[in-house]
Amino acid sequence: MKASPVIAMNDGRSIPQLGIGTWQISDGEDLPALVADALRLGYRHVDTARAYGNENGTGLGLAASGVPREEIFLTTKLWNDEHDREAALAAIDTSLERLGTDYVDLFLIHWAKPEQGKYVEAWKSLIEIQQSGKALSIGVSNFPEPQLEEIIAETGVVPAVHQIELHPYWQQRELRRANERHGILTQAYSPLGSGGAVLHDDVVAQIAAERGASPAQVIIAWHLAIGNVVIPKSTRIARLAANFEALDLTLGDEDIARIDALDRSDGRVGRDPVNDAP
Ligand code: A2P
């Protein structure tokens, strides 16, 4: 069976570069089957969050798949009202219970919430959680660069992963450089622009036609080529299968340069972590 390449993290562990995202997939009866089918296709990396309200169904899917737990890379996230130490320590237990597992592979602070000012306490709590073995690796999501620098300076512990909105219309070059400087892997959420305009971009369509691939596959192949960890979401198993096939699509340097040139100053599709976090 085809498998995603894995990338080494700065803590000595590794992460499958292509996984599935579950944001905006509700915890209804379809989710366990979707997750189980994705794992049967060969995916080994599943991204959820307490805030998605679907940890339950995700856990049922992992169990139903028959794939041994240790072969799966599972991520969940700490929500914004759980940045206090006690709340964070309780949150991981609740998430583990919902997921039906006794550890996650990666636990992320979902948003820095600079104005709330508790991200350092949250990060110290994640360090404690990692030491307890309930999260094998820890990282952050939606951290503006100053807050990223601050948690590292305050603790000396560098996140393994930084998950941010990233797609051809919102390429986050500065934050990617900051991640790279620290040896942090960049993980792309909304990698297909949340299913918006970038999937209909002319240049992407042209490359797709030249390569005999779909626009989504071209975008996923671009993420893989530039070193992102990537978690496209779909509620349709046929699309999850097609997205996994992007592993076989190798873009040329010229294709990558053409997609690099699509970056826009107004390309963000999600919330601004600096002042508009949920
Ligand atoms: P659906 O769930 O109906 O398949 P992102 O990962 O950037 O958040 O994008 C997710 C969006 O892109 C969803 O709306 C999803 O729709 C759509 N999508 C996922 N895979 C594909 C694909 N291969 N082709 C077209 N649209 C896709």
Side-chain angles (χ1 to χ4, degrees), residues 59-202:
L60 290 173
L62 301 185
S65 72
V67 175
R69 172 68 186 89
E70 63 274 15
E71 288 181 20
I72 301 167
F73 191 100
L74 176 63
T75 300
T76 196
K77 311 186 190 82
L78 182 78
W79 189 237
N80 302 337
D81 59 1
E82 299 166 325
H83 284 194
D84 289 337
R85 175 176 176 273
E86 248 171 63
L89 299 187
I92 185 67
D93 287 340
T94 310
S95 283
L96 293 178
E97 200 181 315
R98 288 206 190 96
L99 288 162
T101 184
D102 50 13
Y103 70 95
V104 288
D105 295 272
L106 181 64
F107 196 37
L108 304 177
I109 302 176
H110 207 145
W111 297 84
K113 297 283 286 181
E115 76 288 358
Q116 188 171 274
K118 295 196 170 163
Y119 45 88
V120 174
E121 180 169 350
W123 183 238
K124 287 179 177 166
S125 308
L126 259 63
I127 294 168
E128 210 176 318
I129 289 166
Q130 185 182 27
Q131 284 160 354
S132 76
K134 292 175 183 174
L136 303 186
S137 296
I138 53 174
V140 296
S141 181
N142 296 303
F143 264 56
E145 199 174 331
Q147 284 72 35
L148 182 67
E149 297 293 346
E150 191 180 340
I151 60 165
I152 296 170
E154 285 284 329
T155 64
V157 178
V158 181
V161 167
H162 188 183
Q163 186 179 122
I164 55 178
E165 178 185 336
L166 205 172
H167 46 79
Y169 284 176
W170 192 247
Q171 299 192 16
Q172 302 255 38
R173 289 213 173 83
E174 272 184 40
L175 207 44
R176 272 160 61 201
R177 264 197 296 271
N179 290 342
E180 210 174 303
R181 249 195 336 269
H182 288 292
I184 301 169
L185 288 182
T186 297
Q187 183 171 35
Y189 77 77
S190 296
L192 304 173
S194 257
V198 71
L199 277 174
H200 306 286
D201 181 89
D202 287 344

Side-chain angles (χ1 to χ4, degrees), residues 187-261:
Q187 183 171 35
Y189 77 77
S190 296
L192 304 173
S194 257
V198 71
L199 277 174
H200 306 286
D201 181 89
D202 287 344
V203 170
V204 172
Q206 215 170 12
I207 297 170
E210 287 162 15
R211 296 273 168 185
S214 73
Q217 288 172 326
V218 167
I219 294 172
I220 293 166
W222 170 80
H223 282 287
L224 297 171
I226 65 171
N228 295 339
V229 178
V230 59
I231 45 169
K233 166 253 168 184
S234 178
T235 48
R236 307 178 209 196
I237 192 65
R239 283 182 172 174
L240 288 178
N243 294 349
F244 203 60
E245 294 297 317
L247 289 170
D248 292 333
L249 176 63
T250 306
L251 299 177
D253 291 343
E254 199 182 311
D255 299 326
I256 292 166
R258 284 160 78 195
I259 300 173
D260 284 348

